[in-house]
Every structure is written in structure tokens, then in C-alpha cells.
Amino acid sequence: MNGNTDTGRTMLAAKIVAPRQVEIAEVALPQPGPLEVRVRVTGCGVCGSNLALWRGRPWFHYPSEPGAPGHEGWGRIDALGAGVEDVRPGERVAYLSERAYAEYDIARADSLVRLPSGTEIFPGEALGCAMNIFRRCDIQPRQTVALVGVGFVGALLVQLAVRRGAGVIAISRRPFALQFARRWGAVETIALGDRPSAIARVMERTHGLGCDRVIEAAGEQEALDLAGELVAVRGRLVIAGYHQDSRQVNMQLWNWRGIDVINAHERDPRRYVAGMQAAADRVSKRELDPEPLYTHGFSLEQIAGAFAALDERPDGFLKAWVEPSQREKASVPG
Ligand SMILES: [Zn+2]
């Protein structure tokens, strides 16, 4: 499977051509360069961070590159570029890229993480993101942790914090997400919306002290405002939400309480890969259970539906993904 035999072959890839408009285009099959592999994409998670591009912002250019902004891809290695030695075609991997809404994608060999056995769905970048956020939270047993926003990453963080031995307070607008949080061991769940009453509940629960750790995982001004109010003196506010727009913060409050503020998104690819590997290890050991969170699957052709689900968050929605190689399932076992 080298480049020569592929000349002239094409594949299907999604392209966002304008806000809320996506097309499936036939484009050239990409070729792996040195130290790269080509992956036949089994699936790609649909990330909350895609929403700004989908809805439209003045600073984006359309159309997007074919396959963009899919960055939570996984699949089977299909071809190796020069100098790649540690992996074989056919292996199932998650990887880092920006163009995974396509039948095939190119990944650097040093971004590959082998999928845990028995795992069908593995949006590596998103799972790695949760692990990296968790690490930067530095949660200790018996600490009180508030999670503001229980989407996919927030739900994973509930599981991780409970497992670490923290008392978790989950705050979400969506009742079903709070039910999930309860099931995973949250000691308290609070509806997001009425800020004074949410603050009162948390303060009552923490004897007026607030929380040692507060994780904002909604990416909204309202969530950020509430999160800041819930942090104890010398506590830690971890910003896990994806904020594409500028925000205002209550600096006076942050300053007065002397809180640590962490922006927990990693930008170094090596950190991402380390987080993805940590997630794969936890899933293998059954210490992390993302399966119930994969709620909305779509074919590549249905990708507009995936973005719409992300946008509208129907009841029960936590995570969407697309499956570009759905057709492969019938022919390839395991
Ligand atoms: Zn993502």
C-alpha cells in the first residue's frame, strides 16, 4: 500500500461551505508523508468547539478544508509513510488531526494511541482532554468539587473526581445530565439557571466555605460567573469550557479570595497524546466508562444532523459522533 497504487483514488469528506451548511465532497485520497500514517476513519467525535464554526463567526473562512474541523478521529491504520516502524496496517488507533470528518485521514505516527480492546467508539482527543483537565484540577480525596456544566467532558470529570474520592456537586441545566451525575456518585445535583439559589445550596453544603475545586465545563458566561462564586478562599477554579468569545470575570472576587485560576485546555500535541493514552489506560482498566455518554451516532452523509444535535442539544444528548466508514463494518470483522 504505497502512494503509487493509490494515485487517482478518491474519498468522501465533509466540508462546511457556509454557516450551517455542509457538503460531502469527493476529494483525492490523502497520502502519508514521512513519519505519518493514513487512517481509514471509523469514527470522529463531534466536539463542542465545532459549534462556533458551524454557527458562523466573522473570523472564520469558508469553505473549511475537507474533513475539518473533525479532530476526534479513530480508525484503522491503512497505509504507512516512510520511517514509520512501531505500528502495522490494520491496527485500531485514535490519533490527532484536524480533518477527520472524512473516510481517510493522515496522522503523525507519534500521535497514535492504540484503542482499548473491545472499544468501538473512542474520540481520543476529547477523552484525552478530560484526562488533562482532571490532572490540572489536582483533586485530593475528601475535597469538595463543583462541576458547572455536565456535557461530555463534564460527565467524564464527575466520574474521575468521584473515583478520586471527592465529594462532587454537579450543576447543569439539563435534568437527565444530573441523573447521570447522581448515578456516578455525585453527592448533590443542582439546576443551573437561578444563580443565587445555586450559590446558596453550595454554601449550605460546604458550611459557607465554598468548594476546594470548581470546574467550569460549559463554555458560557453564565457558567463562568457561577463557577467563580463557588470557589473557596485559596481554592482552584479550573476553566474547562471552550470560550471562543471574550468574557468578563469578577476580578474583584477572584482577587479577594486569592483563588488559583487554571485554563485547562492543552495546546501541546504531546500533552494531548499523553492524555489520550491515560484515557485508553483507564478505559482498559474499567476505571472510566464513557460508553453511556455516546448518545448520538451519524453517518458521514448525515453530518448536518450531528451538528444540529450539537447545536440544539435535544433531551438526552451528551456526545455525537460520525462514522465515515460505516460501510466497512459489513466487510471487515472485529
Ligand atoms: Zn474536541
Side-chain angles (χ1 to χ4, degrees):
M1 284 196 200
N2 60 39
N4 299 333
T5 57
D6 296 333
T7 311
R9 277 179 66 190
T10 59
M11 67 162 185
L12 299 179
K15 247 163 75 170
I16 299 182
V17 293
R20 296 178 197 275
Q21 233 179 293
V22 62
E23 280 175 15
I24 304 299
E26 194 173 346
V27 299
L29 185 70
Q31 304 300 334
L35 304 180
E36 292 178 340
V37 303
R38 184 169 64 212
V39 177
R40 171 141 190 159
V41 183
T42 308
C44 179
V46 178
C47 181
S49 67
N50 291 174
L51 208 48
L53 181 68
W54 175 247
R55 287 176 176 164
R57 290 284 197 283
W59 55 84
F60 289 127
H61 296 287
Y62 299 89
S64 64
E65 296 287 335
H71 60 267
E72 299 180 358
W74 70 94
R76 279 184 194 277
I77 295 178
D78 170 68
L80 307 181
V84 177
E85 282 166 0
D86 316 338
V87 292
R88 298 182 317 278
E91 280 193 280
R92 298 164 69 239
V93 292
Y95 62 94
L96 289 181
S97 85
E98 295 291 335
R99 300 185 182 195
Y101 294 141
E103 289 183 300
Y104 293 86
D105 197 4
I106 300 294
R108 284 176 52 130
D110 62 6
S111 81
L112 303 176
V113 169
R114 287 185 177 85
L115 297 199
S117 66
T119 301
E120 291 291 328
I121 301 172
F122 197 87
E125 190 266 359
L127 294 164
C129 186
M131 292 308 301
N132 285 332
I133 292 163
F134 180 61
R135 190 178 56 83
R136 292 185 74 179
C137 290
D138 187 31
I139 293 167
Q140 305 299 323
R142 289 180 297 283
Q143 280 184 334
T144 305
V145 177
L147 250 142
V148 185
V150 185
F152 181 68
V153 167
L156 293 169
L157 287 163
V158 170
Q159 289 189 15
L160 291 164
V162 167
R163 194 166 239 294
R164 179 61 58 87
V168 174
I169 301 170
I171 303 170
S172 170
R173 199 169 280 120
R174 301 181 300 160
F176 85 91
L178 294 178
Q179 280 169 23
F180 261 115
R182 276 255 186 237
R183 206 167 94 196
W184 290 319
V187 294
E188 171 105 59
T189 56
I190 298 173
L192 179 63
D194 178 358
R195 184 155 28 130
S197 88
I199 295 168
R201 285 270 297 279
V202 170
M203 288 304 165
E204 197 183 322
R205 176 114 217 159
T206 57
H207 311 288
L209 297 174
C211 302
D212 305 295
R213 301 287 183 263
V214 179
I215 309 169
E216 182 276 318
E220 292 166 4
Q221 179 71 53
E222 184 189 357
L224 193 58
D225 290 341
L226 175 61
E229 298 273 356
L230 304 180
V231 190
V233 169
R234 302 193 91 242
R236 182 176 292 205
L237 171 60
V238 177
I239 296 160
Y242 191 71
H243 295 274
Q244 276 259 323
D245 307 277
S246 59
R247 299 284 183 236
Q248 304 225 312
V249 299
N250 187 343
M251 197 62 216
Q252 189 184 27
L253 176 77
W254 289 11
N255 199 274
W256 178 254
R257 292 194 191 164
I259 64 176
D260 294 339
V261 179
I262 305 274
N263 282 278
H265 280 284
E266 303 293 348
R267 288 291 171 260
D268 179 345
R270 284 166 304 180
R271 270 276 151 234
Y272 258 112
V273 175
M276 286 159 61
Q277 187 60 60
D281 294 344
R282 290 233 181 193
V283 169
S284 295
K285 290 190 232 155
R286 298 177 189 281
E287 292 176 3
L288 186 65
D289 179 20
E291 286 294 327
L293 310 178
Y294 303 132
T295 54
H296 288 64
F298 297 85
S299 70
L300 186 64
E301 288 75 9
Q302 297 168 326
I303 191 169
F307 289 130
L310 181 69
D311 198 359
E312 291 150 21
R313 297 185 168 252
D315 196 34
F317 177 90
L318 279 171
K319 184 72 173 173
W321 76 100
V322 296
E323 298 188 339
S325 314
Q326 253 183 348
R327 281 164 289 165
E328 183 196 33
K329 271 189 182 167
S331 54
V332 178

